Amino acid sequence: MRQVSVVTTIMPGHDHVSGLERLRGPVTVVRRCESLAELISVARSGVADALLVAGDTEHVTLTFLDAVAAGTGGTRPVAVVALTDVSSERERLRGLGVTAVTPETEAMDLAALLQDEARQARDPAPAGRARWSTTGHDDSGPEGGVMEPAGPVEVTSGRGAPAGPARRDAPEEPTAGPRSAVSRGGHVEGPGTVRTSAAQSPAITEEDRPVAPAGPGRMTAVWGPAGSPGRTTVAVNLAVELTLAGRRTLLIDLDTYAAAAGVHLGLLDESAGIAQACRLAETGRISPDGLARAAIRARVAGGTLQVLTGLTRSDRWPELRTAALDAVLDTAAQGWEEVVVDCGFSLEQDEELSFDIPAPQRNAATLAALARADRVLAVGTGDPVGLPRLVRALEDLDQAVPSAVGAVEVVINQVRADASGVAPASQVRGVFERFAADRSVGAFLPWDRKALDRALLGGQVLAEAAPQSALRRALAGLAGVEMATARTARLPRLPRWGAVWFGRTRGKATGAAR
């Protein structure tokens, strides 16, 4: 029989340690810790088979679990069990895959659970094997040397206990309600683009409620090297074209250096939807409905595009942790047919060199999206500066995210004779394929400064500002859809400096929500 070493925190008003020690069984408490930070340090030393978090379970998050895993090779061989008398907290922990029981659980039942969790951490049970039922009994049958529970005990386990898959409908983080928005004080923005204030937003309608697609939704990551090759322009208009084609689409701004998707859509909402979504994921409360509440619903050219806006300040990047981002992206694929991610440019991964504990990575958002994407659009410009940058960046991409190699499609943007010579597409293709012989150009996007300036000035998308432009036709082809026609007539608009900044000032003066 293998001795199970347990490290635990102290729970004021409840002594669970004495009961375990009186059993003199195979469960031994080797250390009592004052805080979760001390608990993590002991776990990293390798002396514990199981961690018992007693009270203060609100700090048990994905970051905590990753910190425990990082000290043990990333495979989480150390089991984590929690004691809490709050039923909603036990449900939340279940979403994180952490078994939680009430503090009143009998010592013998708790010891049996710790043994079972430690054994499961060392040798994971086959998928679908139920180990602990809702009554607390081990459904897998007796095993030599394992203590059997003495009586019923309430158990919530994310890794096997309840029948059926782990639930994702735990109560969401309190929010101000679903955000339908585009701030500018609720003005009529243009042809069919009505963007209302978040404070006046109605409940999620059936049209906007996430509906699980037949299979996981397709995720497209729009990425490119430094130098403003047009990543955001491509991502926003690609998402719009998919929306107008009748595909339920979610646009996510994951640029941790210069988030701008909201500006391209004319949004003045000063909250970061992606940060709110990551907070939900961090605590195990993420779900498609919760993601929809964190997103803004923007009416563009007669369609409805849902947007997770980016960080309002670039120094907030530590809020986007890898584990939380992975959960957000997986949840997005569950609730939307198309997910378009606007990524940052950098692929560096050297942030952890100065730390001996798991550290946040500024480029984790970009790397997570590229690793998860079904399609990666590598956007570069077709000029003597942008083309070499793209070739070198593609080599870096192959090294940083090997799993994305087969999903990469090269898109050359801003193609024009003034920068590339006569027959610019042919010139660019020849140069690119000479220096990147194993790749080919998937699409060329023409340079249309007038259409882009008109769209940016008015806070519109190309389907509104220049619906018949060559650039819009090329983007619709990149999306693989028929170019839809805006379903409303053109309305007069204020220029951006009037509509945007005057609208913002008026909103503040009248107390309108932004």
Side-chain angles (χ1 to χ4, degrees):
M1 183 190 311
R2 188 181 189 279
Q3 189 76 15
V4 175
S5 300
V6 176
V7 178
T8 183
T9 54
I10 299 171
M11 187 175 187
H14 181 75
D15 183 13
H16 57 282
V17 176
S18 297
L20 292 174
E21 291 179 337
R22 281 195 296 269
L23 295 175
R24 300 185 181 276
V27 174
T28 301
V29 178
V30 297
R31 183 159 175 175
R32 308 183 195 192
C33 301
E34 295 287 342
S35 64
L36 289 187
E38 184 180 357
L39 198 72
I40 293 173
S41 298
V42 176
R44 291 170 64 86
S45 69
V47 302
D49 298 308
L51 304 182
L52 180 57
V53 182
D56 293 331
T57 56
E58 64 273 12
H59 300 300
V60 177
T61 62
L62 285 177
T63 298
F64 168 81
L65 297 176
D66 282 351
V68 172
T72 55
T75 57
R76 294 190 189 173
V78 176
V80 179
V81 177
L83 293 180
T84 175
D85 53 6
V86 181
S87 59
S88 61
E89 187 67 2
R90 292 195 294 274
E91 186 70 15
R92 180 187 73 83
L93 291 169
R94 176 188 177 186
L96 293 174
V98 175
T99 299
V101 297
T102 62
E104 290 72 26
T105 301
E106 294 292 334
M108 182 171 290
D109 297 338
L110 182 58
L113 176 59
L114 289 166
Q115 283 183 274
D116 186 60
E117 290 294 316
R119 183 179 69 248
Q120 178 69 10
R122 294 192 305 270
D123 182 21
R129 175 186 171 190
R131 297 181 296 108
W132 278 80
S133 69
T134 52
T135 61
H137 293 289
D138 191 341
D139 295 333
S140 61
E143 182 175 332
V146 178
M147 302 172 66
E148 293 295 332
V153 53
E154 182 180 357
V155 177
T156 29
S157 171
R159 287 187 295 271
R167 289 177 55 190
R168 288 292 187 183
D169 57 355
E172 301 293 341
E173 178 182 84
T175 66
R179 305 182 312 150
S180 155
V182 183
S183 13
R184 299 195 184 170
H187 298 298
V188 177
E189 295 298 328
T193 309
V194 180
R195 301 181 171 106
T196 58
S197 168
Q200 300 170 344
S201 171
I204 295 179
T205 63
E206 288 303 319
E207 176 188 359
D208 298 316
R209 184 178 299 279
V211 177
R218 181 177 65 164
M219 184 168 296
T220 302
V222 182
W223 167 86
S228 299
R231 294 180 300 270
T232 302
T233 298
V234 172
V236 169
N237 286 281
L238 186 75
V240 169
E241 295 301 330
L242 291 168
T243 298
L244 296 181
R247 307 280 290 175
R248 189 179 298 274
T249 305
L250 176 67
L251 173 64
I252 304 177
D253 191 339
L254 280 187
D255 191 339
T256 55
Y257 291 87
V263 174
H264 279 250
L265 287 166
L267 306 176
L268 293 181
D269 196 299
E270 297 179 356
S271 60
I274 185 59
Q276 182 179 340
C278 283
R279 285 194 296 272
L280 291 174
E282 184 76 18
T283 56
R285 294 190 174 103
I286 193 67
S287 69
D289 277 351
L291 208 56
R293 293 187 183 95
I296 287 176
R297 303 198 305 276
R299 296 285 295 176
V300 287
T304 300
L305 172 65
Q306 291 177 277
V307 186
L308 275 180
T309 50
L311 299 176
T312 54
R313 300 190 315 272
S314 60
D315 59 357
R316 293 181 61 184
W317 62 265
E319 298 179 34
L320 309 186
R321 297 269 185 159
T322 302
L325 285 167
D326 288 340
V328 169
L329 295 176
D330 287 342
T331 303
Q334 295 172 17
W336 283 266
E337 296 174 280
E338 299 281 354
V339 180
V340 179
V341 184
D342 181 15
C343 301
F345 67 92
S346 182
L347 302 175
E348 295 180 4
Q349 304 180 67
D350 60 355
E351 289 93 338
E352 293 186 353
L353 295 180
S354 302
F355 297 86
D356 58 357
I357 59 174
Q361 296 184 0
R362 182 163 196 171
N363 304 319
T366 296
L367 295 169
L370 292 173
R372 174 64 179 77
D374 304 298
R375 186 188 189 197
V376 176
L377 299 183
V379 181
T381 55
D383 55 62
V385 174
L387 208 55
R389 281 179 175 171
L390 177 61
V391 172
R392 289 192 294 268
L394 287 170
E395 295 175 355
D396 295 338
L397 175 62
D398 290 346
Q399 296 178 3
V401 192
S403 61
V405 171
V408 176
E409 299 177 27
V410 176
V411 178
I412 304 298
N413 193 23
Q414 302 177 14
V415 178
R416 59 199 186 278
D418 291 343
S420 304
V422 179
S426 298
Q427 297 270 18
V428 170
R429 187 188 300 276
V431 172
F432 179 82
E433 293 181 355
R434 176 183 175 187
F435 292 97
D438 58 333
R439 300 181 188 276
S440 60
V441 179
F444 291 94
L445 302 180
W447 177 245
D448 194 342
R449 185 72 269 173
K450 284 187 177 180
L452 292 171
D453 284 347
R454 189 182 308 124
L456 191 60
L457 183 66
Q460 295 176 309
V461 295
L462 288 173
E464 297 168 326
Q468 300 302 321
S469 66
L471 178 55
R472 193 214 166 183
R473 287 197 298 270
L475 285 165
L478 187 61
V481 299
E482 295 272 343
M483 192 172 73
T485 303
R487 293 190 286 272
T488 52
R490 179 179 295 276
L491 298 176
R493 311 191 38 143
L494 291 172
R496 182 172 187 268
W497 300 115
V500 175
W501 301 111
F502 174 75
R504 180 192 293 257
T505 303
R506 190 168 100 177
K508 288 182 178 179
T510 60
R514 298 179 300 282

